[in-house]
Amino acid sequence: REIAGLANRWGCPVLSLDSDFCVFDLAGGYCPLSHFQWQSVRAAAAGPQGCYVPARCFSAERFCRHFGHLSKGLLPLFAVMNGNDYIGLEALEAFFSKVRLPRGCAAGKGEKHLRLQGLLNWLAQFAEPSEAVDNVLKYLKKHQREEIRELLCTSMEDYAPSDVNLEDFFQNGSYECEAARKADVPEWVLEAFAKGKLAPFIINALILRSTFLRVQVENMQRPSAHSTALPIRQVIYGLLLRVSHSTEDASSSKQTNELPIVCEFDRCQKTVKKTFVQAASLPPDFCDDRFPLDKLMEVPMSCRQMLLLETLGVKMSFLEPIPSHLKLPIAVTCYWIRCSEPKIKLNQLKALLLTIVSGELQRITNDPDPTLLPAEDDSVAYKEFVKWKEKKLQNNDFDLDAAQSFCQWQCCLQMGLYLNQLLGTPLSEPDLSRLYTGTLVHRLYQELKSAPPVENLFILSPKMSQLYLVLLNTVES
């Protein structure tokens, strides 16, 4: 809705692969990315217009003209009845089985295509969506009608114009949101969220007091990989929901009752389970009345850094030999080794650290410092690494327990990142695109089990060999 609104304010077409944009009344139309002829760049016919890429543009107005006098206002109902992302078709099967839809002219087309054409022609007889909805409901059982009416109307609202003005955000960085104002979201949180500096997870916990933890490919017989990162999430909840520091004279039951609760949806084996999680009680610095959530950034950075490191169970002195952009991932790795269940195997740790080093080697050879030429031995080491990667993997075994461990590390890293962001990044953010590759870490783990010399994969680069040893020694210590 927001993209459609912005496109109309700017008079732009929307470029996307989401067919929902066929439903919005876009002044500039909708250009499906699949219809761009990228290889057929052409010169403009006249004037200094340069070149263009041929494409197709969908217009809701022309589409509706194709179906007689179909009102553009009926397209949302058409989309909802055919099943968008939020409503299934099952509830309306009774309608489709009873109504007599006009036959289209789709010779040779499938039954689904004929039904789409028939529904559009049928809808064209109505002037308003409400009139069409009334006629749809006539074909349903009486006890279903009000529920289906509410479902259809609610789903159609997804296509109503949005009241969020994104133009102000893109032009001058200001973001006004009525819902956020009503929820009394602190200004710095709102601004950070609008700029992508805070994750939706944070806003869900703050406003809804509920979060949905995404499932990875893991061992479904074991507890969810997210369980390892629970203490980190509890600190996040404590910061967001302002848990008071427990006093010595408070009874344990009273403390328990005062702790705010967040509802987490996670997997239990192969089903979704709802769990009520208590927020953590925070150190005194964060419970001072001078520093509620809206003034969290006024807490000294040293205190915020200490809270992050204490949550991860690491001292800053241990991290001193580590490059600044890797301090957070290595602190998370220390936490992972201490808290994971089952316990991490040494080869799993080595595989993970080698993967991190490979990302560093790629960074310094592909995106070198413009003031420095990449060292010859780094370039040679990178070429040898690429050759090794391109070799056919001899051992195709998939170790489910290792997968579980690496999933736990990713969950810990995710929550470590979110906590770091919420505290105003007391540790530098890593480049996630270079930090972890699932297929590579699994392959390295398999190779370390069968061919230990792979630990010397970066031996040709003294810098990378040294980095690997520093990371390994830091974590083991």
Side-chain angles (χ1 to χ4, degrees):
R1 294 200 306 156
E2 286 73 22
I3 291 169
L6 187 62
N8 281 338
R9 288 180 78 91
W10 286 349
C12 299
V14 172
L15 280 58
S16 175
L17 267 180
D18 189 337
S19 60
D20 268 336
F21 287 113
C22 294
V23 179
F24 288 99
D25 186 12
L26 297 167
Y30 158 54
C31 297
L33 285 168
S34 51
H35 287 287
F36 279 75
Q37 299 171 35
W38 301 108
Q39 305 303 319
S40 305
V41 180
R42 297 177 189 173
Q49 298 297 315
C51 300
Y52 69 93
V53 177
R56 287 185 174 184
C57 191
F58 174 92
S59 158
E61 191 168 331
R62 290 185 65 184
F63 179 75
C64 287
R65 278 209 304 270
H66 184 76
F67 293 95
H69 300 289
L70 177 64
S71 163
K72 285 184 284 189
L74 286 159
L75 287 180
L77 179 59
F78 167 69
V80 170
M81 290 183 69
N82 279 291
N84 65 359
D85 294 339
Y86 304 105
I87 179 173
L89 288 173
E90 299 81 9
L92 296 171
E93 277 308 316
F95 164 79
F96 285 112
S97 64
K98 293 175 186 175
V99 71
R100 183 172 180 146
L101 296 177
R103 301 303 283 177
C105 54
K109 299 288 184 183
E111 188 62 36
K112 185 180 177 184
H113 198 99
L114 286 170
R115 185 156 95 167
L116 292 175
Q117 279 208 336
L119 180 58
L120 286 161
N121 286 317
W122 184 83
L123 287 170
Q125 65 186 300
F126 305 109
E128 298 286 337
S130 57
E131 184 188 355
V133 169
D134 287 340
N135 277 273
V136 168
L137 297 177
K138 287 177 185 175
Y139 293 90
L140 306 183
K141 293 175 181 174
K142 284 186 179 178
H143 71 274
Q144 291 182 309
R145 290 177 185 174
E146 285 315 303
E147 183 186 350
I148 301 299
R149 182 196 299 276
E150 190 175 340
L151 193 59
L152 290 173
C153 293
T154 302
S155 299
M156 283 193 292
E157 285 174 11
D158 289 339
Y159 300 101
S162 170
D163 59 355
V164 176
N165 183 0
L166 284 187
E167 188 174 29
D168 284 347
F169 176 73
F170 283 111
Q171 290 188 336
N172 55 39
S174 64
Y175 176 68
E176 289 292 324
C177 176
E178 186 64 29
R181 201 163 31 247
K182 285 178 182 173
D184 201 23
V185 177
E187 192 61 39
W188 78 267
V189 173
L190 187 60
E191 186 177 326
F193 183 56
K195 291 180 177 177
K197 293 178 180 177
L198 286 177
F201 172 89
I202 297 292
I203 295 295
N204 289 341
L206 177 62
I207 305 297
L208 305 176
R209 292 209 181 188
S210 80
T211 59
F212 199 99
L213 304 174
R214 297 194 173 195
V215 179
Q216 301 181 74
V217 178
E218 55 189 274
N219 188 340
M220 294 295 172
Q221 301 311 309
R222 288 193 179 277
S224 163
H226 286 285
S227 57
T228 310
L230 175 61
I232 308 177
R233 294 198 301 277
Q234 287 177 297
V235 173
I236 292 173
Y237 302 152
L239 285 167
L240 292 173
L241 307 176
R242 271 306 304 271
V243 181
S244 295
H245 185 59
S246 56
T247 55
E248 288 181 14
D249 59 348
S251 68
S252 59
S253 62
K254 188 178 177 188
Q255 290 173 36
T256 302
N257 291 337
E258 286 177 354
L259 294 174
I261 299 291
V262 173
C263 175
E264 292 186 342
F265 293 88
D266 196 4
R267 74 160 184 85
C268 179
Q269 294 194 332
K270 293 184 181 178
T271 60
V272 177
K273 183 184 178 185
K274 182 161 74 171
T275 307
F276 294 99
V277 173
Q278 288 184 339
S281 184
L282 300 176
D285 287 326
F286 291 88
C287 299
D288 190 320
D289 288 339
R290 293 173 301 158
F291 301 126
L293 180 60
D294 58 344
K295 292 194 167 41
L296 180 60
M297 290 304 107
E298 294 177 26
V299 176
M301 179 62 90
S302 58
C303 295
R304 286 182 267 149
Q305 186 182 86
M306 189 171 292
L307 177 61
L308 174 66
L309 293 175
E310 283 181 356
T311 302
L312 298 177
V314 178
K315 291 182 179 173
M316 195 62 186
S317 56
F318 281 122
L319 297 176
E320 279 172 7
I322 307 293
S324 60
H325 61 288
L326 293 180
K327 288 185 193 297
L328 181 60
I330 294 306
V332 164
T333 303
C334 295
Y335 173 93
W336 169 63
I337 286 175
R338 204 176 66 255
C339 300
S340 63
E341 191 59 48
K343 289 299 173 190
I344 303 306
K345 294 175 181 172
L346 181 58
N347 281 341
Q348 291 170 357
L349 170 62
K350 288 180 175 180
L352 179 66
L353 297 181
L354 285 168
T355 301
I356 292 172
V357 171
S358 75
E360 285 299 289
L361 181 60
Q362 184 187 26
R363 182 178 64 81
I364 64 172
T365 50
N366 289 1
D367 294 323
D369 183 334
T371 61
L372 298 169
L373 286 171
E376 181 63 29
D377 46 22
D378 292 334
S379 300
V380 172
Y382 183 65
K383 284 174 187 169
E384 288 301 310
F385 168 66
V386 170
K387 270 193 227 169
W388 176 85
K389 259 205 322 185
E390 288 172 350
K391 278 193 311 184
K392 193 168 183 181
L393 183 59
Q394 293 167 355
N395 187 347
N396 287 314
D397 291 339
F398 179 72
D399 189 317
L400 196 54
D401 285 334
Q404 185 77 9
S405 295
F406 294 133
C407 285
Q408 288 176 346
W409 182 81
Q410 290 178 84
C411 292
C412 295
L413 179 68
Q414 181 187 40
M415 292 305 153
L417 279 166
Y418 291 171
L419 177 57
N420 190 49
Q421 290 169 348
L422 184 59
L423 291 169
T425 57
L427 293 182
S428 302
E429 285 215 346
D431 178 355
L432 292 177
S433 66
R434 298 258 163 87
L435 193 64
Y436 182 85
T437 308
T439 49
L440 176 61
V441 77
H442 278 274
R443 179 174 175 185
L444 282 165
Y445 174 59
Q446 296 289 3
E447 293 259 331
L448 283 163
K449 287 195 297 184
S450 57
V454 80
E455 192 173 355
N456 298 318
L457 192 57
F458 304 108
I459 196 88
L460 294 174
S461 165
K463 192 190 298 180
M464 291 299 110
S465 298
Q466 177 62 23
L467 175 62
Y468 172 68
L469 289 175
V470 166
L471 298 182
L472 185 60
N473 291 337
T474 300
V475 175
E476 285 188 321
S477 70

